[in-house]
């Protein structure tokens, strides 16, 4: 787990550590104009010539031609991959300690990309420069900060290539998917491809299913949790893109008394039963303790949702493609449909 939990907490560091899950309320994503989309020739290929894309900071990245040597945050690279756009290098959680792909790598072949950094604060600038990067892409959770781009080396990194930041907070899942698709299209992706249109149809069907499940089971309360060795974090649903969207679809969430930062409450393990819940959604990132690691904690085991087997993974940092977000909606809908009222 990143050192952010053991030092003065920045909002950015807490997010990486798994305690918080987003900042701000839902705002419209920036820059969604036709100017961002790559012009195509008669064969459907992206035309050669100048390229530009206005990102969610309101900044425009420009190049003489469509970037090919792309480096991206792992989860963002995984989303681009789902649209057919491959990257040369990644940074952020990519492989686990046993060398397997991290949950945030999605369908990326992690053996075919240069891993510039695998943990918080790690980014090999020399390896990045050697890739001759033409574009850097990452998420934005906190205004003015690039996700997993270290502050101490940010200036050196940003001098080497244009950068694009796409919102991971202050947005909702459909808006975030749309923006990732816009970027992919500008880079040459075919959004009319059957794989993409099928995934979009599945996503829309899944959203309808979750809305219906929430409407039919209004008594079910869901708690959004994340575990560390010393603390259990209960997050405020409206502060993150995924759970805000679930709220919009009608899901009822526990509302904690958040701390001064505004997006979660820290509970000691002795007080983990403070909020009754029928379903617990647990942060599935490798930076957070998973339910099987909590079995020895008596207070965890006595929670009604735990006793009922109603603990489900929460994809805290979704891969923003229709392909990866559809199952998230389906899984939550299934959990609500079959849940017993236990709180």
């Amino acid at each position: 787990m990143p050192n952010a939990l053991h030092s003065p907490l920045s909002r950015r560091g807490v997010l990486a550590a798994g305690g918080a899950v987003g900042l701000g309320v839902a705002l419209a994503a920036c820059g969604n104009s036709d100017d961002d989309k790559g012009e195509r020739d008669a064969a459907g290929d992206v035309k050669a010539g100048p390229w530009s894309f206005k990102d969610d900071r309101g900044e425009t990245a420009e190049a003489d031609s469509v970037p090919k040597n792309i480096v991206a945050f792992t989860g963002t690279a995984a989303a681009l991959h789902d649209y057919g756009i491959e990257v040369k290098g990644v940074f952020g959680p990519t492989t686990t300690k046993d060398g397997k792909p991290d949950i945030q790598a999605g369908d990326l072949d992690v053996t075919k990309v240069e891993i510039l950094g695998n943990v918080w604060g790690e980014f090999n600038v020399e390896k990045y420069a050697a890739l001759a990067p033409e574009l850097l892409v990452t998420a934005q959770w906190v205004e003015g900060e690039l996700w997993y781009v270290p502050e101490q080396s940010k200036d050196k990194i940003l001098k080497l290539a244009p950068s694009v930041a796409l919102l991971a907070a202050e947005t909702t899942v459909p808006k975030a998917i749309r923006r990732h698709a816009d970027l992919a299209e500008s880079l040459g992706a075919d959004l009319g491809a059957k794989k993409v249109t099928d995934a979009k149809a599945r996503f829309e069907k899944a959203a309808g299913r979750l809305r219906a499940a929430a409407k039919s089971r209004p008594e079910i309360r869901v708690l959004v949790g994340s575990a560390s060795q010393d603390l259990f974090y209960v997050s405020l649903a409206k502060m993150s893109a995924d759970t805000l969207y679930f709220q919009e679809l009608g899901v009822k969430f526990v509302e904690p008394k958040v701390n001064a930062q505004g997006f979660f409450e820290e509970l000691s393990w002795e007080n983990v039963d403070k909020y009754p819940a029928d379903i617990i959604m647990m942060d599935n990132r490798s930076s957070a303790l998973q339910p099987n690691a909590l079995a020895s904690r008596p207070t965890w085991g006595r929670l009604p949702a735990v006793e009922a087997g109603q603990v489900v993974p929460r994809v805290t940092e979704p891969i923003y493609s229709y392909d990866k977000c559809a199952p998230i909606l389906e899984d939550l809908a299934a959990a609500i449909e079959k849940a017993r009222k236990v709180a």
Side-chain angles (χ1 to χ4, degrees):
M1 184 172 291
N3 292 331
L5 283 182
H6 307 289
S7 61
L9 292 178
S10 68
R11 292 179 298 170
R12 191 169 182 255
V14 171
L15 285 165
V21 291
L23 296 171
V25 296
L27 298 174
C30 302
N32 191 16
S33 69
D34 290 338
D35 292 340
D36 294 334
K37 300 177 181 179
E39 294 185 10
R40 296 180 179 273
D41 58 24
D45 297 322
V46 175
K47 291 182 179 179
W51 172 89
S52 67
F53 185 85
K54 186 177 181 181
D55 74 1
D56 292 348
R57 297 171 295 180
E59 297 183 12
T60 300
E62 298 178 314
D64 292 337
S65 61
V66 176
K68 299 298 182 185
N69 288 354
I70 303 167
V71 173
F73 170 68
T74 303
T76 309
L80 292 175
H81 170 84
D82 286 349
Y83 293 110
I85 302 299
E86 304 300 340
V87 304
K88 300 291 187 181
V90 296
F91 54 95
T94 307
T95 58
T96 57
K97 291 180 180 179
D98 58 6
K100 295 180 180 179
D102 188 273
I103 189 72
Q104 295 190 58
D107 292 334
L108 281 178
D109 185 342
V110 298
T111 68
K112 293 184 177 179
V113 292
E114 184 75 54
I115 301 175
L116 305 178
N118 199 50
V119 297
W120 184 257
E122 184 179 270
F123 191 116
N124 191 310
V125 181
E126 290 73 24
K127 285 185 178 180
Y128 178 58
L131 290 174
E134 298 172 331
L135 180 65
L136 177 80
V137 188
T138 191
Q140 177 179 289
W141 285 82
V142 179
E143 185 176 357
E145 297 184 4
L146 300 178
W147 196 231
Y148 272 82
V149 176
E151 286 295 321
Q152 64 270 23
S153 53
K154 182 178 69 174
D155 291 344
K156 292 180 180 179
I157 292 167
L158 294 183
K159 286 179 181 178
L160 295 172
S163 63
V164 164
L166 299 177
L167 288 176
E170 302 185 280
T171 187
T172 61
V173 170
K175 292 175 183 177
I177 292 175
R178 180 66 250 176
R179 292 296 289 146
H180 284 71
D182 286 343
L183 176 60
E185 186 175 32
S186 80
L187 296 170
D190 179 7
L191 299 187
K194 187 176 187 301
K195 178 183 177 181
V196 177
T197 58
D198 285 353
K200 183 177 181 180
R202 180 183 175 186
F203 176 85
E204 292 170 346
K205 182 179 180 181
R209 179 182 173 184
L210 181 54
R211 187 187 298 277
K215 184 176 181 180
S216 68
R217 303 297 307 279
E219 76 280 11
I220 298 298
R221 289 295 183 274
V222 181
L223 182 147
V224 183
S226 184
S228 73
Q229 193 65 38
D230 300 319
L231 295 170
F232 184 75
Y233 301 87
V234 181
S235 295
L236 190 60
K238 71 177 183 179
M239 305 303 277
S240 185
D242 61 330
T243 47
L244 172 60
Y245 182 51
F246 302 156
Q247 272 193 322
E248 291 179 350
L249 293 175
V251 177
K252 303 297 190 299
F253 286 96
V254 167
E255 295 193 4
K257 296 180 180 178
V258 297
N259 62 15
Q261 293 176 317
F263 43 88
F264 67 90
E265 179 179 359
E266 307 109 319
L267 299 177
S268 68
W269 283 102
E270 290 76 15
N271 296 313
V272 72
D273 60 352
K274 181 176 180 179
Y275 295 105
D278 303 295
I279 295 173
I280 300 176
M281 298 180 68
M282 288 293 288
D283 186 349
N284 75 336
R285 293 178 294 179
S286 55
S287 58
L289 292 181
Q290 298 306 301
N292 59 1
L294 305 176
S296 63
R297 296 177 182 267
T299 52
W300 169 259
R302 290 195 295 266
L303 294 176
V306 176
E307 290 182 331
Q310 294 176 178
V311 178
V312 299
R314 182 214 172 187
V315 183
T316 306
E317 292 186 54
I319 294 169
Y320 287 115
S321 68
Y322 292 112
D323 183 71
K324 295 300 181 291
C325 288
I328 296 173
L329 302 182
E330 293 167 346
D331 290 347
L332 182 55
I336 292 173
E337 288 165 353
K338 67 182 181 182
R340 293 188 291 115
K341 180 66 180 174
V342 296

